[in-house]
């Protein structure tokens, strides 16, 4: 048995918190089946045929633990939050055999399918059928298979102070449809969990699947042994944050090239986006994009804001704050010509976001053309264009939205090749 398996067995036997009925059964029969052992690799009941023409040919994605022998994916649902679910089970507060009741959970709006869903190279980092499992796999669910959505949609109203200001200054107006009488913004929002088709991810990153599996296994401390022992499992649900999309206007118009589209793809910056830190331009650019997207929607077009959980260029907030300190304390102070260098000194790389995967969300919505891309990023622009989506215009952040503290960042990005008009 692997070290991971031995540790799991030890804690399962020693835990004093296993209070519910299922846990009592587990204590009485505490055997852990390691499916990666020789002779323990069953033939897949539902092989995954990524890029198949319909969901039944593709096969359901089963990453829950209610049908362990039917699992055809590595990892667990909910990304990093799966660890909290494990803690809830360990503390006896969550029934280990819970089976989700998905009645009435689907949105009234149905996205797709689009031709991009059938292309095994267009979409490799999310499940195209992830929002429609209760329809696509109703028979399998009725037979007791625990198939769970990886995409969810709903309607919401957003309260954005900068939009209040835009209304007051008459840059936007209340129309009762996009901007409500309360000055709230009417949106459709979409939550997307990462689902990685490993052969496609490897190709996108110009490496081999075997090498990708090896590095993922090693750099996560051996968290998923199946990466190196189960080559038949081609799908990984990685323990990372996903993405959210906010749609202004009719979501189905995103797939219509004749409808004007304003879009921003934004990577998380907690300090600025949530708390208003002025060392960067993240929140100003994000709210400016919302204003532009609202204006387009009010003029008969559609707006799209995609928000990825990639804090600190996917290096993490601890690393980001260490870099902030290093930039400010270095000889000569914080300067544009050493902006990216200080990041590389601390993190080993200047950026770990891998924008090559980012356009998958756009392809899921059926996007083929963007009229106004609210972004200066050369990496995002290149990734979108190389994925086959036409970009007609790139829009810089207005100068008056750049604080004095953020000037170093902007000048460094322009010097490194970011769009500057």
């Amino acid at each position: 048995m692997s070290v991971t398996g031995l540790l799991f067995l030890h804690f399962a036997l020693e835990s004093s918190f296993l209070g519910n009925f299922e846990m009592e059964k587990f204590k009485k029969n505490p055997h852990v089946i390691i499916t990666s052992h020789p002779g323990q690799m069953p033939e897949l009941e539902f092989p995954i045929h990524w890029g198949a023409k319909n969901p039944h040919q593709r096969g359901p994605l089963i990453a829950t633990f209610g049908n362990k022998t039917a699992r055809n994916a590595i990892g667990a649902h909910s990304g990093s939050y799966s660890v909290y679910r494990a803690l809830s089970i360990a503390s006896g507060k969550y029934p280990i055999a819970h089976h989700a009741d998905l009645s009435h959970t689907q949105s009234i709006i149905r996205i797709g399918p689009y031709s991009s869903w059938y292309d095994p190279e267009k979409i490799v980092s999310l499940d195209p059928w992830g929002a429609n499992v209760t329809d696509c796999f109703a028979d399998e669910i009725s037979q007791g298979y625990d198939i769970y959505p990886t995409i969810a949609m709903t309607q919401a109203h957003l309260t954005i102070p900068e939009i209040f200001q835009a209304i007051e200054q008459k840059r936007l107006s209340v129309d009762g449809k996009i901007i409500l009488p309360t000055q709230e913004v009417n949106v459709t929002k979409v939550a997307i969990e990462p689902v990685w088709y490993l052969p496609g991810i490897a190709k996108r990153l110009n490496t081999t699947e075997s090498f990708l599996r090896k590095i993922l296994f090693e750099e996560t401390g051996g968290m998923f042994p199946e990466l190196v022992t189960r080559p038949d499992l081609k799908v990984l649900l990685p323990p990372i944050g996903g993405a959210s999309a906010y749609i202004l206007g009719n979501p189905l118009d995103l797939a219509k090239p004749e409808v004007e589209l304003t879009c921003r793809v934004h990577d998380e910056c907690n300090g600025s986006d949530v708390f208003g830190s002025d060392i960067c331009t993240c929140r100003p650019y994000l709210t400016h994009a919302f204003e532009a997207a609202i204006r387009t929607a009010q003029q008969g077009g559609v707006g799209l804001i995609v928000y990825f959980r990639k804090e600190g260029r996917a290096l993490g907030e601890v690393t980001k704050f260490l870099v902030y300190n290093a930039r400010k304390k270095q000889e000569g102070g914080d300067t544009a010509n050493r902006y990216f260098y200080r990041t590389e000194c601390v993190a080993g790389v200047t950026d770990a976001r891998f924008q090559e995967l980012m356009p998958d969300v756009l392809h899921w919505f059926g996007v083929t053309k963007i009229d106004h891309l609210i972004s200066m990023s050369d990496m995002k622009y290149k990734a979108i264009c190389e994925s086959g989506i036409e970009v007609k215009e790139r829009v810089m952040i207005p100068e008056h939205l750049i604080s004095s503290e953020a000037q170093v960042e902007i000048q460094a990005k322009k010097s490194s090749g970011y769009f500057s008009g």
Side-chain angles (χ1 to χ4, degrees):
M1 181 180 290
S2 67
V3 173
T4 303
L6 286 170
L7 287 172
F8 179 80
L9 180 58
H10 169 76
F11 285 115
L13 290 170
E14 294 297 322
S15 174
S16 61
F17 299 105
L18 309 181
N20 60 44
F21 177 71
E22 290 81 8
M23 282 300 183
E24 289 300 324
K25 290 194 299 183
F26 181 79
K27 287 170 67 177
K28 293 175 184 177
N29 185 25
H31 298 292
V32 178
I33 303 295
I34 305 298
T35 60
S36 55
H37 279 181
Q40 295 289 348
M41 289 190 289
E43 183 177 346
L44 290 178
E45 190 171 355
F46 296 103
I48 296 294
H49 302 288
W50 200 266
K53 293 293 184 181
N54 65 62
H56 296 289
Q57 291 175 353
R58 203 291 302 272
L61 180 69
I62 303 178
T64 52
F65 296 91
N67 313 100
K68 291 185 179 180
T69 58
R71 275 174 54 87
N72 57 11
I74 304 167
H77 284 288
S78 302
S80 57
Y81 295 103
S82 62
V83 177
Y84 289 101
R85 183 173 63 247
L87 291 179
S88 298
I89 293 172
S91 67
K93 297 177 180 179
Y94 186 107
I96 196 170
H98 174 70
H99 192 126
D101 179 359
L102 299 175
S103 302
H104 310 299
T105 59
Q106 275 201 306
S107 169
I108 59 173
I109 298 172
R110 303 298 174 88
I111 297 294
Y114 300 115
S115 59
S116 53
W117 293 24
Y118 314 138
D119 188 332
E121 296 186 4
K122 284 286 187 189
I123 297 178
V124 299
S125 62
L126 60 88
D127 179 6
W129 306 101
N132 304 319
V133 298
T134 54
D135 286 342
C136 295
F137 306 111
D139 290 343
E140 289 84 353
I141 292 173
S142 68
Q143 294 168 24
Y145 290 101
D146 196 7
I147 303 168
Y148 200 77
T150 57
I151 300 175
M153 300 176 60
T154 192
Q155 279 68 50
H157 300 157
L158 305 183
T159 300
I160 305 174
E162 288 86 346
I163 299 303
F164 294 170
Q165 185 180 60
I167 295 169
E168 182 181 353
Q169 296 176 358
K170 300 189 184 305
R171 299 196 306 271
L172 292 174
S173 60
V174 173
D175 64 337
K177 182 179 179 183
I178 304 299
I179 299 181
L180 304 176
T182 58
Q183 298 190 358
E184 294 172 302
V185 182
N186 190 24
V187 300
T188 299
K189 61 182 182 179
V190 186
I192 303 170
E193 287 183 8
V195 176
W196 289 1
Y197 176 58
L198 292 171
I201 295 285
K203 186 171 183 179
R204 195 78 64 88
L205 301 182
N206 294 314
T207 188
T208 64
E209 181 187 348
S210 59
F211 185 68
L212 174 64
R213 285 172 172 267
K214 175 179 180 292
I215 296 301
L216 285 171
F217 172 72
E218 292 178 344
E219 295 301 317
T220 57
M223 181 178 287
F224 302 116
E226 293 88 352
L227 283 167
V228 293
T229 62
R230 292 291 303 273
D232 57 324
L233 298 179
K234 299 293 185 181
V235 175
L236 167 68
L237 276 64
I240 61 174
S244 302
Y246 295 85
I247 304 165
L248 295 303
N250 185 351
L252 301 182
D253 285 344
L254 292 169
K256 299 176 181 177
E258 68 274 15
V259 177
E260 185 178 5
L261 169 58
T262 293
C263 176
R264 175 166 175 78
V265 177
H266 188 93
D267 293 319
E268 178 183 24
C269 177
N270 184 61
S272 179
D273 296 342
V274 179
F275 295 103
S277 171
D278 66 352
I279 198 171
C280 63
T281 59
C282 293
R283 181 179 174 90
Y285 219 165
L286 178 61
T287 57
H288 175 66
F290 262 107
E291 181 177 335
I294 290 168
R295 186 175 299 109
T296 298
Q298 288 185 326
Q299 294 171 351
V302 63
L304 174 63
I305 309 294
V306 182
Y307 192 95
F308 281 95
R309 280 14 179 243
K310 297 178 183 177
E311 177 65 61
R313 301 195 204 107
L315 299 171
E317 202 164 32
V318 169
T319 295
K320 182 163 73 170
F321 288 3
L322 293 174
V323 172
Y324 283 168
N325 292 339
R327 282 169 49 193
K328 293 173 182 178
K329 293 180 179 179
Q330 66 187 337
E331 185 176 350
D334 195 8
T335 60
N337 66 325
R338 294 175 68 83
Y339 175 85
F340 289 108
Y341 171 73
R342 291 310 305 165
T343 302
E344 190 169 356
C345 287
V346 175
V349 66
T350 59
D351 196 307
R353 287 174 290 182
F354 290 98
Q355 301 295 1
E356 295 92 336
L357 305 179
M358 171 267 295
D360 289 19
V361 174
L362 304 178
H363 287 295
W364 186 72
F365 286 116
V367 172
T368 58
K369 181 263 307 174
I370 297 173
D371 294 278
H372 315 288
L373 179 64
I374 314 296
S375 174
M376 295 171 63
S377 170
D378 53 330
M379 292 179 288
K380 292 177 183 176
Y381 173 72
K382 181 181 178 182
I384 291 170
C385 292
E386 289 185 351
S387 78
I389 296 173
E390 177 188 5
V391 175
K392 289 194 169 184
E393 179 192 25
R394 300 169 71 184
V395 181
M396 289 179 59
I397 184 173
E399 287 290 335
H400 72 274
L401 294 179
I402 305 172
S403 71
S404 58
E405 286 289 312
Q407 288 294 335
V408 169
E409 174 206 48
I410 284 294
Q411 293 307 317
K413 288 181 175 179
K414 287 181 179 180
S415 297
S416 72
Y418 274 49
F419 178 68
S420 58

